Amino acid sequence: MKAVYNVAKYTLLENARSKSFSLSVVFIALVFVSAFIFAKLSEVVEIRAIQDIGMGAVQFFSFLTALFFAVKVAFVEGQNKTIYLPLTRPVKRSEYIFGRYLGIILSAALEIAAMGMLLTILLYLKQAEFDGFYFLSYFFIFLKIMMITAVTILISLASTSQASAFIFSFLVWITGHSLGEVEFLLDEMSPAMVTMVRIFKWIFPNYTLLNLADYTAGRFMAAAGYLPAVLYAVFYVFAVMWLAAAVFEKKEF
Amino acid sequence: MEKIEKALEFRDVGKIYRRNHFFKTTETEALKGFSLDINRGEIFCLLGLNGAGKTTAVKLALNLIFPDSGDIKVLGEKPSPEVVSRVGYVSESPYLFPYLTARELFNLLGILSGLNSSRRAEAMDRICDFLSLGDFIDKKIGECSKGMQQRVLLAQALIHDPELLILDEPYSGLDPVGISQMRQYIEKLNAEGKTILMTSHLIAESEKIAARAGILKAGRIAKVIPVLPGLLEKEFLEAVL
């Protein structure tokens, strides 16, 4: 556990100092300001627009940075041989990869908190009213980032190029967000397609279950209770990271 | 207890790299019937042309890749994370973590090597003094010069005071002053009792410090010879051409 903690600590330190981290915070600030300028409708719709664009941007940019860090850790560092430094120490490979994962999601949490604070200040200046639902949305964005980070690490460990690691992870992100929409089309599908969709729902992260930032889906979740969604995310992360650790154990560098 | 004489033993080792592309797998035989012994306390130089298998042999000893056939013993044991903790490794180029300072890197690698805080502090003092790292220890590695990064790379391999030091092309990218300094460091470390295995293309430099040399050709040891002044280049060319 000491190794996991220290690898995570130094990963967080490294990520916090990297340019991609600072750049994403600058970008998000620009997105917020744009939303602020362009949402010149009635006051209520303006606040709603800033909130929706802002939340979407927080999610998208934290996804991009998590994607970048995960590919770097699981693919790029193997290619440029930086990974030789920790792996030639008496540390279990599984501990190392879990430590790296923890470091990335802590960086993501930091980024979401920083961007969320900025958005909240902007909304406060617009005299928006906040409820628990609003703050809980950030936590659910974090759960999604936890899931995609684990998936990206697994994909990167199995990839033969950086580009394919990015592309496949991006496709998983898109597919995970579309699974809920596909549900509405099941009646129109052949039995084979329905089976395929059901299998996909087990393999891909089902982000519809975590879409708290989406108003309608969020209200639906509020009624159903949050715990099953949180448990689903945690279980999914453990399953994927267990698989990633098994792949990493056998991987040659 | 029986005293182990060999620091590193390869017995008939074979290694094939397999690369999967969508519908086909390509295979490259990096080592075949590779056998070599490295004695404790010596400086041994592994020479060979590009692609001869030098780095593959090093990676097998470090447990970074796994053999397809044959046996490997590192300090008398099969390669494992435990035995690798008694080995220091310096890679071909300074592949380091650019956003960490040297002190942070040494601290992390010291922890991963199982050193407690007082042993880490003592080790840092020792290697900073040995390699004259001075104030550079608190500078981000990415902001250091290539020569300084090479020193940081050597320092990280010494943090846990290893018995065997593996140097993969240690002179790569260094200017003549850097090469001379690196040679002095290697000689000092050997004088302290460390076994050194180094791979290199630089025959003249290898000749200055190695006791024995192994010449690799197409994944096999073509010959192992004692290094005698002025003869290594001739022996090398005879073996590889």
Side-chain angles (χ1 to χ4, degrees):
Chain A
M1 276 313 283
K2 195 178 176 187
V4 175
Y5 165 76
N6 281 288
V7 170
K9 183 177 126 184
Y10 283 99
T11 304
L12 176 63
L13 191 64
E14 226 190 324
N15 290 350
R17 286 177 186 165
S18 82
K19 289 187 187 81
S20 53
F21 194 80
S22 333
L23 265 178
S24 74
V25 176
V26 172
F27 268 117
I28 200 86
L30 287 174
V31 171
F32 291 166
V33 172
S34 320
F36 205 67
I37 293 167
F38 290 114
K40 287 287 173 200
L41 302 167
S42 76
E43 203 168 282
V44 177
V45 178
E46 184 184 358
I47 288 170
R48 187 82 231 155
I50 294 171
Q51 185 173 322
D52 284 351
I53 295 171
M55 282 277 188
V58 168
Q59 179 170 289
F60 186 67
F61 282 99
S62 49
F63 158 65
L64 282 186
T65 29
L67 186 70
F68 174 80
F69 289 141
V71 172
K72 176 177 157 277
V73 160
F75 184 83
V76 178
E77 286 183 358
Q79 291 292 302
N80 70 18
K81 301 179 174 90
T82 317
I83 207 156
Y84 291 3
L85 298 181
L87 293 193
T88 51
R89 312 280 154 175
V91 61
K92 284 185 187 152
R93 287 186 174 198
S94 55
E95 287 183 334
Y96 178 75
I97 202 72
F98 273 109
R100 283 305 229 177
Y101 171 75
L102 204 59
I104 295 172
I105 61 163
L106 286 174
S107 316
L110 196 70
E111 191 182 13
I112 292 168
M115 295 191 294
M117 207 180 292
L118 207 62
L119 180 62
T120 308
I121 291 170
L122 265 176
L123 289 167
Y124 179 77
L125 292 175
K126 280 280 168 191
Q127 291 167 337
E129 285 174 11
F130 303 103
D131 54 9
F133 197 69
Y134 169 80
F135 293 105
L136 207 57
S137 298
Y138 289 109
F139 174 64
F140 277 78
I141 289 174
F142 175 65
L143 289 178
K144 285 178 164 187
I145 300 302
M146 276 175 70
M147 291 168 83
I148 194 66
T149 303
V151 172
T152 306
I153 286 178
L154 179 62
I155 290 174
S156 302
L157 287 172
S159 289
T160 51
S161 79
Q162 198 175 341
S164 65
F166 274 113
I167 292 166
F168 284 118
S169 303
F170 205 86
L171 286 176
V172 169
W173 179 255
I174 305 280
T175 310
H177 280 96
S178 316
L179 285 173
E181 316 301 324
V182 176
E183 191 81 17
F184 296 113
L185 304 171
L186 286 181
D187 292 341
E188 316 286 322
M189 290 179 184
S190 65
M193 280 295 285
V194 171
T195 312
M196 206 169 83
V197 171
R198 300 254 185 259
I199 294 170
F200 269 34
K201 282 180 79 173
W202 275 100
I203 297 173
F204 287 91
N206 188 352
Y207 290 129
T208 317
L209 298 174
L210 300 163
N211 247 351
L212 199 67
D214 178 322
Y215 190 79
T216 318
R219 291 290 171 211
F220 170 74
M221 272 181 62
Y226 302 121
L227 193 61
V230 175
L231 288 177
Y232 164 73
V234 172
F235 176 78
Y236 189 91
V237 163
F238 268 98
V240 175
M241 280 310 294
W242 177 80
L243 201 58
V247 173
F248 191 59
E249 202 70 44
K250 300 277 174 208
K251 192 170 169 70
E252 295 194 324
F253 292 98
Chain B
M1 210 174 101
E2 191 187 331
K3 194 171 182 291
I4 302 160
E5 294 293 337
K6 308 288 178 204
L8 206 47
E9 296 165 74
F10 292 89
R11 288 279 167 273
D12 208 18
V13 173
K15 177 66 195 170
I16 298 170
Y17 289 114
R18 293 176 181 84
R19 301 217 186 283
N20 295 318
H21 308 278
F22 283 104
F23 298 106
K24 62 173 185 174
T25 303
T26 54
E27 292 191 347
T28 311
E29 197 167 19
L31 292 180
K32 46 192 168 192
F34 177 81
S35 294
L36 179 69
D37 285 340
I38 291 160
N39 300 325
R40 275 191 180 246
E42 74 173 337
I43 300 182
F44 188 96
C45 190
L46 199 53
L47 298 168
L49 299 175
N50 286 337
K54 303 185 294 288
T55 301
T56 300
V58 164
K59 288 203 272 185
L60 284 166
L62 290 165
N63 206 31
L64 290 167
I65 57 174
F66 315 109
D68 290 304
S69 58
D71 287 314
I72 302 167
K73 281 192 178 167
V74 180
L75 301 166
E77 295 173 33
K78 281 192 177 294
S80 66
E82 289 68 34
V83 74
V84 164
S85 70
R86 291 156 63 199
V87 180
Y89 171 60
V90 177
S91 58
E92 187 181 342
S93 294
Y95 305 117
L96 297 156
F97 296 100
Y99 294 108
L100 296 183
T101 65
R103 187 188 297 279
E104 287 160 352
L105 177 73
F106 299 155
N107 214 25
L108 172 64
L109 297 178
I111 292 166
L112 297 183
S113 299
L115 305 182
N116 61 28
S117 59
S118 64
R119 280 189 67 199
R120 286 201 303 275
E122 181 271 321
M124 260 189 256
D125 286 346
R126 174 173 50 81
I127 55 173
C128 284
D129 187 40
F130 178 70
L131 294 167
S132 315
L133 289 179
D135 294 338
F136 285 98
I137 194 166
D138 289 313
K139 200 173 173 184
K140 276 188 212 155
I141 295 166
E143 293 168 3
C144 292
S145 66
K146 169 105 183 184
M148 189 50 72
Q149 288 185 8
Q150 199 76 20
R151 268 195 258 177
V152 171
L153 193 64
L154 180 57
Q156 63 75 32
L158 300 175
I159 195 99
H160 54 302
D161 198 16
E163 294 163 50
L164 167 64
L165 200 56
I166 300 180
L167 313 171
D168 196 3
E169 305 281 359
Y171 304 123
S172 171
L174 293 181
D175 59 23
V177 175
I179 290 176
S180 167
Q181 277 179 337
M182 182 59 81
R183 190 193 324 122
Q184 286 169 29
Y185 293 140
I186 296 170
E187 283 171 333
K188 274 191 204 170
L189 290 164
N190 182 243
E192 285 175 12
K194 297 191 194 308
T195 307
I196 315 260
L197 164 64
M198 54 183 269
T199 70
S200 186
H201 297 104
L202 302 180
I203 296 171
E205 276 306 319
S206 307
E207 204 173 61
K208 285 177 188 165
I209 54 170
R212 291 194 306 145
I215 301 170
L216 252 172
K217 186 185 179 186
R220 280 181 199 275
I221 285 286
K223 59 168 98 167
V224 175
I225 47 167
V227 175
L228 300 170
L231 292 178
L232 190 57
E233 186 171 5
K234 183 174 165 282
E235 295 272 9
F236 177 75
L237 292 173
E238 271 176 14
V240 298
L241 292 178

